[in-house]
Amino acid sequence: MMLKDVMMMILGMLILILGVLIGVAFLTLLERKVLGYIQIRKGPNKVGYMGILQPFSDAIKLFTKEQVFPMYSNYISYYFSPIISFILSLMVWMLIPYYFNMISFNLGILFFLCCTSMGVYTVMVAGWSSNSNYSLLGGLRAVAQTISYEVSLALIMLSSIMLIMDFNMMKFFIYQDLIWFFFLMLPLSMCWFSSSLAETNRTPFDFAEGESELVSGFNIEYSSGGFTLIFLSEYSSILFMSMLFVLLYLGGYNMSLFFYLKLIFISFLFIWVRGTLPRYRYDKLMYLSWKSYLPISLNYLLFFVGLKMFLS
């Protein structure tokens, strides 16, 4: 029986990873299509019917390109940091219990916070180990940004945790049966969305991509597979943050079509923001996190703690 359970778990993991990879592939296609129409042009429309096979041709092209690496790079850490980054971004998906997966984390939120804070190290090591000034600068900028917005993410999350008094992500579904948390904490949910944009290095917080002085940030030295893995981990974390938004504020997790429609809508919002907003000025980076989100999230947290004590 034990062996059967382990086999089922491994099978669940494989199906999950495959699903995430295919989801990421088509998320990139959706992004290119949407950005195309925002800029009044067609997106990819040649490969396959209406460009539907474009992600696969991109993957084949990227993985078959020559792998070059800088002469003076710290080769081992340079080589493995994108791989570890990719593994970490897939590990977070274990929080979602498929029916045959049989893993339900009682401390799922803590696991999520641990995985996201580990992601900082991969960016830092990737930037440093290239032994190039530009990638080091890009890495430092990305790390500064990720760390500062992780604080606000955790604090915003604490308000939701105060309401359900549990770290298990599946409990959010039970507590949002009558009303979504989105309506209970509207400013907070917007702060969460904005912080998750910063956490995943998306416009208007794509400082890792840099201004005129940086060329695509910490990943300038990566080509072929290394670049692809960094790219994949970024997009899979976008998908995960979208799903987390649905989990925390839009009714929780259930295997229904409506859940997936909500997920697609939030992912679309990430792309819509990219097509609409200009990049923030770098010296304004901490301004939002510490001057705006911190007071809002702390006030809400105190309010919900008081509410919980009053009700109990």
Side-chain angles (χ1 to χ4, degrees):
M1 190 62 186
M2 184 73 180
L3 184 68
K4 190 188 173 196
D5 287 353
V6 172
M7 290 296 285
M8 285 295 275
M9 280 163 69
I10 291 169
L11 185 68
M13 289 295 160
L14 287 173
I15 290 173
L16 181 64
I17 288 170
L18 205 65
V20 169
L21 290 178
I22 292 169
V24 164
F26 285 106
L27 180 64
T28 59
L29 180 67
L30 176 74
E31 176 165 39
R32 289 173 67 180
K33 281 279 194 192
V34 170
L35 287 179
Y37 282 107
I38 285 173
Q39 295 155 5
I40 322 178
R41 60 184 173 81
K42 294 274 186 207
N45 63 347
K46 291 283 185 285
V47 187
Y49 177 68
M50 288 170 60
I52 204 100
L53 296 176
Q54 185 70 44
F56 302 107
S57 70
D58 283 345
I60 293 165
K61 187 203 80 169
L62 279 166
F63 278 111
T64 50
K65 285 174 83 168
E66 185 186 1
Q67 176 93 48
V68 291
F69 62 94
M71 277 290 277
Y72 296 106
S73 64
N74 303 55
Y75 185 70
I76 299 295
S77 46
Y78 167 86
Y79 189 82
F80 280 105
S81 55
I83 297 169
I84 292 167
S85 164
F86 183 57
I87 289 168
L88 277 173
S89 70
L90 287 180
M91 266 173 69
V92 190
W93 285 92
M94 287 200 301
L95 290 174
I96 308 309
Y98 276 79
Y99 288 126
F100 46 75
N101 210 347
M102 294 177 298
I103 296 176
S104 182
F105 276 91
N106 283 331
L107 301 174
I109 287 169
L110 291 181
F111 181 75
F112 159 71
L113 289 171
C114 290
C115 281
T116 47
S117 47
M118 283 292 289
V120 175
Y121 292 105
T122 58
V123 172
M124 188 170 69
V125 170
W128 167 80
S129 62
S130 305
N131 256 343
S132 145
N133 289 344
Y134 294 108
S135 54
L136 181 62
L137 275 173
L140 287 177
R141 289 169 71 134
V143 166
Q145 169 184 330
T146 312
I147 288 173
S148 69
Y149 279 91
E150 244 164 41
V151 176
S152 67
L153 271 181
L155 279 171
I156 292 166
M157 219 176 199
L158 270 177
S159 295
S160 309
I161 295 168
M162 280 321 295
L163 282 181
I164 71 164
M165 294 302 264
D166 202 322
F167 284 121
N168 192 340
M169 287 193 169
M170 296 307 110
K171 292 285 167 70
F172 283 102
F173 176 60
I174 303 163
Y175 283 87
Q176 294 183 73
D177 196 27
L178 296 175
I179 182 170
W180 290 353
F181 285 171
F182 179 78
F183 301 112
L184 286 181
M185 34 176 109
L186 190 67
L188 260 193
S189 54
M190 291 295 102
C191 290
W192 168 272
F193 182 71
S194 175
S195 296
S196 54
L197 284 174
E199 185 70 20
T200 50
N201 288 335
R202 295 289 290 181
T203 313
F205 304 100
D206 51 347
F207 302 116
E209 304 286 314
E211 289 157 35
S212 53
E213 79 279 15
L214 292 177
V215 193
S216 189
F218 66 94
N219 54 17
I220 49 174
E221 306 294 355
Y222 284 96
S223 63
S224 176
F227 172 76
T228 317
L229 289 176
I230 290 172
F231 178 74
L232 279 174
S233 58
E234 187 179 309
Y235 275 82
S236 94
S237 56
I238 288 169
L239 215 50
F240 186 78
M241 292 308 255
S242 310
M243 197 188 58
L244 211 52
F245 187 87
V246 178
L247 239 77
L248 294 176
Y249 300 110
L250 298 181
Y253 174 81
N254 59 332
M255 293 277 276
S256 67
L257 180 65
F258 190 43
F259 169 79
Y260 289 108
L261 287 174
K262 287 184 285 192
L263 173 57
I264 290 165
F265 174 68
I266 302 295
S267 305
F268 170 73
L269 278 185
F270 270 82
I271 298 165
W272 192 4
V273 166
R274 182 176 180 181
T276 315
L277 294 178
R279 184 180 292 137
Y280 235 49
R281 249 177 47 202
Y282 190 68
D283 55 331
K284 297 272 187 210
L285 165 67
M286 304 302 179
Y287 183 82
L288 258 184
S289 168
W290 301 101
K291 292 266 178 71
S292 311
Y293 297 166
L294 214 55
I296 292 173
S297 53
L298 285 172
N299 280 317
Y300 258 94
L301 182 60
L302 288 173
F303 169 71
F304 283 121
V305 169
L307 188 71
K308 203 73 178 166
M309 286 166 72
F310 175 71
L311 289 175
S312 61

